[in-house]
Amino acid sequence: MSTTEVKPIPDWMHSITPHLVCDGAAAAIEFYKKAFDAVERCRVPGPQGKLIHAAIRIGDSSVMLVDEMPECGALGPKARGGSSVTIHLQVEDVDAVVERAVAAGARITMPVDDMFWGDRYGQIEDPFGHSWSVATHVRDVSPEELQEAAKKMFG
């Protein structure tokens, strides 16, 4: 038996970690490697070869994945007719990351542009139906400037 103390939150985890259900989790891992320079941390195949658990690292954050398993209620966004969740990815060069993601198979849902809140920002949908926003912070905006710009945009 180990006498070392177990950390409640391991060093490689953050307080919140997305757990994606994918129709083809192994293919999703390969996509995330190409699109976002993901590093595979682990892969646990089940009896029929479906992944019952996998984890990747994108930047300093972990993402867990699992194959669709309708019998367990695990359905991906395509099976559900879309996703109401967007995963946000903060990067050094949004244009390069979105370009790489599109080359790997993503679809642009909002072209990259400079936004009133100070980010260069765009949105994509990955081949598995998950929505991603991708941004690079390009200028600081005061709370007053943010409020004024939001009023102008949204009335």
Side-chain angles (χ1 to χ4, degrees), residues 31-81:
F31 169 79
Y32 298 135
K33 285 178 181 178
K34 290 177 190 165
F36 304 136
D37 288 331
V39 175
E40 187 173 332
R41 296 197 35 103
C42 73
R43 186 184 294 225
V44 182
Q48 274 70 47
K50 285 188 173 188
L51 295 182
I52 60 172
H53 177 72
I56 58 175
R57 186 163 199 76
I58 299 173
D60 67 353
S61 299
S62 293
V63 176
M64 294 186 281
L65 301 97
V66 64
D67 267 307
E68 280 191 339
M69 291 179 225
E71 65 279 8
C72 299
L75 298 171
K78 287 185 173 182
R80 294 184 185 278

Side-chain angles (χ1 to χ4, degrees), residues 16 51 53-54 65 71 92 97 144 146 150:
I16 296 177
L51 295 182
H53 177 72
L65 301 97
E71 65 279 8
E92 298 268 337
V97 170
E144 297 78 23
L146 184 60

Side-chain angles (χ1 to χ4, degrees), residues 68-135:
E68 280 191 339
M69 291 179 225
E71 65 279 8
C72 299
L75 298 171
K78 287 185 173 182
R80 294 184 185 278
S83 175
S84 60
V85 174
T86 299
I87 304 158
H88 183 74
L89 182 59
Q90 197 75 29
V91 298
E92 298 268 337
D93 185 346
V94 62
D95 295 282
V97 170
V98 168
E99 184 179 310
R100 193 170 63 237
V102 168
R107 177 178 67 88
I108 293 175
T109 56
M110 180 183 185
V112 173
D113 202 353
D114 292 334
M115 297 296 163
F116 67 89
W117 59 83
D119 285 356
R120 187 153 172 75
Y121 174 96
Q123 294 181 2
I124 59 173
E125 182 179 288
D126 72 29
F128 308 92
H130 295 285
S131 298
W132 293 78
S133 59
V134 186

